[in-house]
């Protein structure tokens, strides 16, 4: 913990991500598909963790599996991943939003590592896609539980024209 390089910060972030994925899995046992996917993603997050300091453990086939997972969830939520929504809904969906946020923090920590040493691009691709998968899962879980998404429209930032809920 007293190390100065940013590598340890990335490892702490991805450890937190893995822990939160485990919590989300415990909340989704009523949705076997999501539970099984999260139980697959938990060790993958630990593989991501070790891929900076140790041997690269994330490969193209892992990225493809994650991409297929994303496409599958997106196809089941009818375009609702194209809007900005409030992180709310069922407890499981809220935890998945926390996981999404942890994945985004992991991307930022990985960027800081890349300022000190070379980081394989696949780690950025995987971590960013993981955040998207976790978001799509959250929307799917809310849909599964019959919870409507609440679209967020920023007063601070002009938004490009996106779909409205119900479009």
């Amino acid at each position: 913990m007293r190390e100065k390089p940013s590598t340890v910060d990335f490892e702490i972030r991805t450890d937190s991500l893995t822990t939160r994925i485990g919590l989300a899995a415990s909340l989704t046992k009523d949705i076997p598909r999501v539970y099984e996917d999260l139980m697959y993603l938990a060790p993958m997050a630990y593989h991501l963790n070790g891929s900076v300091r140790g041997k690269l453990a994330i490969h193209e086939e892992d990225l493809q599996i994650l991409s297929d997972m994303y496409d599958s969830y997106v196809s089941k939520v009818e375009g609702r991943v194209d809007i900005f929504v409030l992180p709310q809904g069922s407890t499981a969906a809220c935890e998945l939003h926390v996981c999404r946020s942890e994945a985004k923090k992991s991307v930022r920590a990985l960027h800081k590592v890349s300022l000190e040493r070379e980081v394989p691009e696949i780690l950025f691709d995987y971590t960013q896609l993981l955040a998207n998968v976790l978001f799509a899962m959250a929307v799917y879980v809310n849909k599964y539980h019959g919870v409507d998404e609440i679209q967020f429209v920023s007063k601070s930032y002009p938004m490009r024209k996106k779909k409205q809920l119900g479009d």
Side-chain angles (χ1 to χ4, degrees), residues 24-58:
S26 76
L27 297 171
T28 58
K29 288 184 178 178
D30 63 323
I31 314 171
R33 166 200 173 93
V34 175
Y35 174 78
E36 290 167 15
D37 286 344
L38 289 170
M39 292 306 291
Y40 166 79
L41 291 175
M44 291 306 297
Y46 269 153
H47 289 311
L48 179 65
N49 175 300
S51 288
V52 171
R53 186 189 304 255
K55 179 182 170 191
L56 181 64
I58 301 293

Side-chain angles (χ1 to χ4, degrees), residues 96-160:
L96 285 162
H97 279 295
V98 172
C99 291
R100 172 196 49 82
S101 180
E102 287 296 320
K104 290 172 82 173
K105 291 174 193 174
S106 296
V107 172
R108 184 66 183 153
L110 189 58
H111 172 71
K112 288 183 179 178
V113 171
S114 75
L115 298 175
E116 300 168 359
R117 65 190 322 187
E118 190 165 335
V119 174
E121 192 64 32
I122 194 168
L123 297 181
F124 285 102
D125 294 344
Y126 192 89
T127 312
Q128 291 168 342
L129 182 55
L130 180 57
N132 292 343
V133 167
L134 293 163
F135 174 77
M137 281 181 164
V139 173
Y140 176 80
V141 167
N142 270 343
K143 180 180 178 186
Y144 182 90
H145 286 128
V147 176
D148 290 331
E149 296 298 337
I150 300 171
Q151 186 170 9
F152 173 76
V153 179
S154 175
K155 292 180 180 180
S156 302
Y157 300 104
M159 302 295 281
R160 3 179 251 265

